[in-house]
């Protein structure tokens, strides 16, 4: 029955008996017989087959998601049994925001795979917030303020925003002394969507509301805003983990004194509405043990304080002031 389900799903996904047979390394006649047997077992026609095309019937459309779920549950069950071995193994599906995924999650996952050579990771890097259940994601890394949900969340690093500009820009346009001075500068802002929480907000300024900064350049991609700032186009207000490398390299300069980084063996109490980097996973999944391994690894890999803050501190970035 399992082979028949796999044949059915593969034929639908590839749209052809011959392509499915090649993918499954089976004869076309064998694939056809297994689907015949499945249809007989169900008492319904799932596919209309001819030499030129395969059409999924209404019954086939209704049965398809259930067939996929059965195959997925079987794969998870197999993974759960394998986890009884001393060496973790199997597949983990992971999602992460685009910029943070490229800069920090991918290197952390590379180190994780060296540590656990029998584990495989399917990493998806995108700013889309995915449904973990619907897309069968084991671990999702999320930056910002978490919304209330039934997911299990682990804080793996802090996040704050840095106002920064290139030395060339500051030499041409002057150095803002206060947040209000940003209103007279070219500020690089987000376009096409609501700005992330915390953008252009400062304690005790404008009643806690974002400053109405303006600039000639707006973009829907924060990585592009970073590179525009490095090129001297204006001032940015971006996450510490995104600006760190440019600040350490001297390509950007923090405009205002940076907050001192937190140290200490005891994890401080956190505001539930705090912006941070979290890893979330669904409770009760068969891959939960491997998911927790990855989450612990990322927390250890990033460090506390995270390595990007330590790098800026070592470069003296937090002590820079306007001339």
């Amino acid at each position: 029955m399992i082979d028949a389900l796999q044949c059915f799903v593969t034929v639908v996904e590839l749209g052809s008996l011959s392509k499915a047979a090649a993918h499954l390394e089976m004869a076309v006649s064998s694939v056809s017989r297994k689907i015949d047997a499945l249809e007989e077992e169900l008492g319904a026609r799932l596919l209309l087959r001819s030499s030129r095309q395969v059409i999924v019937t209404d019954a086939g459309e209704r049965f398809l998601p259930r067939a996929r779920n059965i195959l997925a549950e079987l794969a998870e069950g197999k993974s759960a049994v394998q986890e009884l071995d001393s060496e973790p193994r199997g597949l983990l599906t992971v999602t992460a925001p685009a910029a943070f995924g490229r800069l920090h999650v991918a290197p952390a996952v590379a180190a994780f795979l060296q540590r656990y050579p029998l584990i495989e990771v399917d990493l998806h890097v995108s700013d889309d917030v995915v449904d973990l259940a619907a897309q069968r994601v084991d671990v999702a890394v999320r930056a910002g303020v978490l919304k209330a949900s039934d997911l299990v969340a682990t804080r793996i690093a802090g996040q704050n925003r840095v106002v920064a500009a290139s030395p060339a820009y500051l030499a041409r346009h002057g150095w803002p002394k206060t947040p209000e001075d940003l209103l007279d500068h070219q500020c690089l802002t987000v376009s096409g969507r609501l700005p992330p929480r915390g953008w252009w907000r400062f304690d005790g300024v404008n009643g806690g509301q974002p400053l109405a900064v303006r600039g000639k350049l707006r973009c829907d991609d924060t990585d592009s805003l970073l590179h525009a700032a490095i090129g001297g186009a204006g001032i940015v207000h971006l996450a510490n983990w995104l600006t760190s490398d440019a600040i350490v390299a001297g390509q950007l300069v923090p405009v205002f004194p940076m907050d001192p980084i937190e140290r200490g063996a005891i994890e401080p109490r956190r505001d539930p509405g705090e912006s941070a980097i979290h890893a979330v996973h669904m409770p009760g999944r068969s891959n939960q043990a491997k998911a927790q391994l990855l989450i612990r690894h990322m927390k250890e890999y990033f460090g506390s304080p995270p390595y990007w803050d330590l790098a800026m501190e070592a470069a003296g970035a937090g002590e820079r002031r306007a001339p």
Side-chain angles (χ1 to χ4, degrees), residues 4-322:
L5 290 174
Q6 187 64 67
C7 287
F8 167 63
V9 170
T10 305
V11 168
V12 173
E13 290 176 347
L14 299 182
S16 163
L17 283 172
S18 58
K19 289 179 181 179
H23 178 79
L24 296 169
E25 299 182 345
M26 297 172 61
V28 174
S29 58
S30 296
V31 173
S32 183
R33 282 196 300 271
K34 288 186 179 295
I35 294 176
D36 287 340
L38 179 60
E39 290 176 333
E40 184 177 348
E41 177 74 19
L42 296 173
R45 177 65 65 89
L46 302 176
L47 301 173
L48 299 177
R49 289 163 276 166
S50 71
S51 58
R52 293 185 178 181
Q53 62 180 343
V54 173
I55 299 174
V56 185
T57 66
D58 290 344
E61 291 284 1
R62 296 186 66 180
F63 183 65
L64 180 61
R66 292 168 174 78
R68 284 177 170 151
N69 285 339
I70 291 170
L71 292 172
E73 291 294 337
L74 179 65
E76 288 190 3
K78 182 178 179 181
S79 176
V81 171
Q82 290 175 339
E83 285 179 2
L84 295 175
D85 297 342
S86 58
E87 186 74 10
R89 65 181 70 212
L91 176 66
L92 274 177
T93 301
V94 181
T95 67
F100 189 79
R102 287 191 297 267
L103 289 171
H104 303 293
V105 176
V109 167
F112 178 75
L113 293 175
Q114 291 183 353
R115 189 173 182 179
Y116 301 103
L118 298 183
I119 290 181
E120 299 178 14
V121 172
D122 189 357
L123 175 61
H124 299 265
V125 173
S126 168
D127 287 329
D128 294 336
V129 178
V130 303
D131 184 323
L132 272 64
Q135 300 193 29
R136 311 198 74 80
V137 171
D138 298 304
V139 178
V141 178
R142 292 180 175 168
V145 178
L146 281 184
K147 295 181 179 179
S149 73
D150 294 331
L151 299 174
V152 179
T154 302
R155 184 184 187 275
I156 55 176
Q159 173 175 270
N160 54 58
R161 298 194 179 279
V162 180
V163 178
S166 71
Y169 174 89
L170 295 171
R172 288 197 307 271
H173 300 281
W175 198 304
K177 303 296 193 299
T178 68
E180 290 89 343
D181 291 343
L182 294 171
L183 296 172
D184 299 322
H185 280 266
Q186 290 292 320
C187 294
L188 309 182
T189 59
V190 71
S191 66
R193 58 184 172 88
L194 289 174
R197 181 170 174 173
W199 269 38
W200 308 108
R201 292 175 186 253
F202 304 91
D203 290 341
V205 176
N206 197 33
Q209 296 303 307
L211 288 172
V213 298
R214 295 178 61 84
K216 295 179 180 178
L217 175 63
R218 296 172 295 279
C219 183
D220 60 356
D221 176 66
T222 55
D223 202 34
S224 297
L225 291 177
L226 171 72
H227 286 89
I230 291 171
I235 300 176
V236 287
H237 193 203
L238 297 174
N240 49 346
W241 52 261
L242 181 58
T243 55
S244 174
D245 287 348
I247 289 172
V248 170
Q251 297 171 309
L252 292 179
V253 179
V255 172
F256 305 125
M258 294 170 57
D259 294 335
I261 63 175
E262 297 173 343
R263 299 180 183 275
I266 300 176
E267 183 78 5
R269 295 189 68 178
R270 303 290 179 185
D271 179 355
E274 176 202 31
S275 181
I277 308 296
H278 290 88
V280 299
H281 71 280
M282 292 182 62
R285 290 289 294 273
S286 61
N287 275 358
Q288 183 168 292
K290 290 198 295 290
Q292 290 174 338
L293 274 182
L294 176 60
I295 292 169
R296 285 196 297 269
H297 169 83
M298 286 193 293
K299 190 169 184 177
E300 175 186 317
Y301 185 90
F302 298 149
S304 181
Y307 61 76
W308 47 84
D309 280 345
L310 292 176
M312 287 192 287
E313 182 188 58
E319 300 173 1
R320 299 180 188 178
R321 299 290 188 274

